[in-house]
Amino acid sequence: MTLLFISSDARPRYAEDILTVVATPPGGIFQFRYETRYVAPDIQSIVGNGMIVGQDAVIAFGGKVGTVDAFIMPTRLASVHSAEIIAEALIIKFLAKDFPDVTSLQRDAVDIEDKGKVVLTQVMSRYGGTYWPAVARSDGLVANAAGSGPSEWNDVVSRLSKLSAFSGSFFIRLSLVYATNKSFKEMFSRSKFFSMTPVELHDGSATLSNRNAAILRCWFSRETLASDERRITVKCDDAIVQISSDDSYDITSRYDDIEFWLHPRRLPVNSRTVLSIRVPGNPQVPGDLTTRVSLPIVVSRPVAPRLTRGLTSAVGAGLIAAPAILGVGSSLGLRLLLAAAGALIVSLVAALSGTP
C-alpha cells in the first residue's frame, strides 16, 4: 500500500511546501499539516492505530484544485516518520527518499496537466469521486523510484517550473559534506571537493563534531532571471554551529552552485540547532514563492579527547605514586624525576579540563 499526500495551489503556502519537499536532502524531514476534514477516513484510521509510521508515501503537487481541470504530479517519494491527530488537525512528518521517475511527462504544462488529470480522476474514483488531499490508496498513480541525485532532482523541478504555480520560484537542492583531513589548498580545489564525504542524516538530523568542518552545498535554479534583488540566507544558533563563510549570497543569475561553510563549536554537552535556508519570493508576482528548508544539526561532544585526558591523568597519577612503590631502596633522583613528571602531567590535564 502506497499512501498519497497532496499539497496544492489552493494557497501559496501549500505550494511552497512542494518547494521544501524537492529541496530536502535524502533522509531529511519535512512536515505537512491537514485539517482532518481533508483527510480520507482510511488515513485517519491507520493514524489512530499507529500503523502509518514507516509506510511508503508519494508526495504530489495538486494543481487547479476545486476545478474540473484539477491534476496531480508526483514530486517525491518518502516514508512516514510520525503522524498525530491533534484537535482537528493531522500533523505528519516524512523522511525524504528518492525522486519519482517523471520522464514519461514532457517538459510542458499542458502535457503534465492532461496526464495528471487522468491520474487524479482514477485516484478519486476509489473514493466515490471525492477529492481527498491525503489518501491511503493511490490507484492509477505510478511513481517508481528514479534516484536522489542531481539529474533526478532536475527531472522533477524542470517540469514543476513549467507550471504556473511555480513559474517564478527558485528551486534549490541541498547536500551536506564533511571537510576533513584535507589541506587548505585541497579544501578550495573544485577537483578535490567531490571526494569529500557526504554527511548521512539519521532520523532526519545531521550529526557533526567540532573536529570536523562541514560544507552545505546549495544548487538553485529558476525558469527566468528575477528582475528584483534576491538573496539566499542561512541561519542557525551561532553558539552551536558557526557559519564560517558568508551567511548569505546575492543571486545574480538564473542558476548557480554555492557553498556555506559550517564549523561546529566545542561544547560541554551534545547540542542541537536547526539550520534554516531561505530564498524569498515576491508575493506581488503569481508563481513567485518563498523556498524554505530546515535541517536539524546535532553537534556531538567527541569521546576520544575525554578518554585521552582520563588515560593521561592515570599515567600522571601512576608516576606520582611510583616513588612510594619503588621504595627507599631506589635512586632518590629517579624518584624525584618520576614524581615531578607525574605532577606536571596532572597539572596540564587539569589546566585543559575546561576544554571539551
Side-chain angles (χ1 to χ4, degrees), residues 19-37:
L19 296 177
T20 300
V21 167
V22 297
T24 302
I29 287 180
F30 57 88
Q31 177 178 290
F32 279 7
R33 306 144 303 279
Y34 296 97
E35 290 185 44
T36 51
R37 59 179 173 147

Side-chain angles (χ1 to χ4, degrees), residues 88-158:
E88 297 182 351
L90 168 64
I91 310 298
I92 184 165
K93 294 182 179 180
F94 302 92
L95 284 173
K97 298 170 72 174
D98 288 340
F99 292 99
D101 184 353
V102 293
T103 53
S104 62
L105 302 174
Q106 297 179 25
R107 290 182 173 88
D108 174 75
V110 174
D111 184 70
I112 295 169
E113 293 177 11
D114 287 348
K115 292 176 179 176
K117 180 179 177 180
V118 172
V119 173
L120 180 58
T121 299
Q122 292 177 314
V123 172
M124 291 170 56
S125 66
R126 177 83 182 189
Y127 297 90
T130 300
Y131 169 72
W132 298 97
V135 296
R137 299 287 180 182
S138 52
D139 300 2
L141 175 63
V142 178
N144 297 317
S148 58
S151 174
E152 293 78 20
W153 172 84
N154 184 66
D155 283 342
V156 171
V157 303
S158 63

Side-chain angles (χ1 to χ4, degrees), residues 27-29 95 199-207 272 295-298:
I29 287 180
L95 284 173
V199 177
E200 294 186 4
L201 304 186
H202 299 284
D203 202 29
S205 299
T207 299
R272 181 181 184 273
L295 181 61
I297 293 180
V298 174

Side-chain angles (χ1 to χ4, degrees), residues 176-197 199 209-217 244-245 257-264:
L176 192 63
V177 295
Y178 289 110
T180 55
N181 301 322
K182 293 188 178 292
S183 68
F184 183 83
K185 181 178 179 180
E186 287 178 320
M187 297 287 270
F188 286 91
S189 169
R190 177 61 63 176
S191 62
K192 295 289 185 180
F193 180 85
F194 292 98
S195 65
M196 291 185 179
T197 305
V199 177
S209 164
N210 59 40
R211 290 174 167 267
N212 302 121
I215 296 175
L216 178 71
R217 293 191 65 190
S244 50
S245 65
D257 181 18
I258 58 176
E259 302 168 1
F260 297 98
W261 286 68
L262 311 175
H263 190 88

Side-chain angles (χ1 to χ4, degrees), residues 29-340:
I29 287 180
F30 57 88
Q31 177 178 290
F32 279 7
R33 306 144 303 279
Y34 296 97
E35 290 185 44
T36 51
R37 59 179 173 147
Y38 298 122
V39 179
D42 51 9
I43 288 287
Q44 296 193 43
S45 176
I46 59 176
V47 170
N49 61 28
M51 296 293 290
I52 195 171
V53 176
Q55 294 277 355
D56 290 332
V58 177
I59 310 300
F61 168 67
K64 299 182 178 180
V65 294
T67 74
V68 295
D69 295 318
F71 68 94
I72 59 173
M73 175 187 158
T75 59
R76 197 70 187 258
L77 306 182
S79 61
V80 178
H81 179 264
S82 64
E84 185 178 9
I85 293 177
I86 303 175
E88 297 182 351
L90 168 64
I91 310 298
I92 184 165
K93 294 182 179 180
F94 302 92
L95 284 173
K97 298 170 72 174
D98 288 340
F99 292 99
D101 184 353
V102 293
T103 53
S104 62
L105 302 174
Q106 297 179 25
R107 290 182 173 88
D108 174 75
V110 174
D111 184 70
I112 295 169
E113 293 177 11
D114 287 348
K115 292 176 179 176
K117 180 179 177 180
V118 172
V119 173
L120 180 58
T121 299
Q122 292 177 314
V123 172
M124 291 170 56
S125 66
R126 177 83 182 189
Y127 297 90
T130 300
Y131 169 72
W132 298 97
V135 296
R137 299 287 180 182
S138 52
D139 300 2
L141 175 63
V142 178
N144 297 317
S148 58
S151 174
E152 293 78 20
W153 172 84
N154 184 66
D155 283 342
V156 171
V157 303
S158 63
R159 287 162 173 80
L160 285 173
S161 66
K162 302 300 182 183
L163 304 176
S164 60
F166 304 104
S167 58
S169 302
F170 279 95
F171 295 90
I172 65 175
R173 179 181 185 270
L174 301 176
S175 62
L176 192 63
V177 295
Y178 289 110
T180 55
N181 301 322
K182 293 188 178 292
S183 68
F184 183 83
K185 181 178 179 180
E186 287 178 320
M187 297 287 270
F188 286 91
S189 169
R190 177 61 63 176
S191 62
K192 295 289 185 180
F193 180 85
F194 292 98
S195 65
M196 291 185 179
T197 305
V199 177
E200 294 186 4
L201 304 186
H202 299 284
D203 202 29
S205 299
T207 299
L208 303 176
S209 164
N210 59 40
R211 290 174 167 267
N212 302 121
I215 296 175
L216 178 71
R217 293 191 65 190
C218 179
W219 169 266
F220 68 84
S221 69
R222 189 178 189 266
E223 186 69 6
T224 58
L225 180 64
S227 58
D228 55 343
E229 293 184 359
R230 300 294 175 91
R231 175 175 291 187
I232 296 178
T233 57
V234 176
K235 294 182 179 180
C236 63
D237 187 341
D238 186 72
I240 299 175
V241 175
Q242 177 189 13
I243 300 175
S244 50
S245 65
D246 292 336
D247 60 3
S248 64
Y249 176 85
D250 291 326
I251 298 174
T252 57
S253 61
R254 213 167 48 80
Y255 52 87
D256 205 350
D257 181 18
I258 58 176
E259 302 168 1
F260 297 98
W261 286 68
L262 311 175
H263 190 88
R265 301 283 194 180
R266 288 173 174 256
L267 301 168
V269 295
N270 292 348
S271 303
R272 181 181 184 273
T273 185
V274 175
L275 189 67
S276 299
I277 302 93
R278 184 176 185 271
V279 184
N282 185 345
Q284 306 303 318
V285 179
D288 193 344
L289 306 174
T290 297
T291 304
R292 304 177 182 87
V293 189
S294 296
L295 181 61
I297 293 180
V298 174
V299 176
S300 61
R301 183 186 181 192
V303 175
R306 285 176 280 164
L307 290 176
T308 300
R309 285 199 294 268
L311 292 173
T312 304
S313 295
V315 171
L319 291 174
I320 292 174
I325 297 174
L326 293 174
V328 295
S330 60
S331 167
L332 176 61
L334 175 61
R335 284 181 286 158
L336 290 174
L337 178 62
L338 292 175

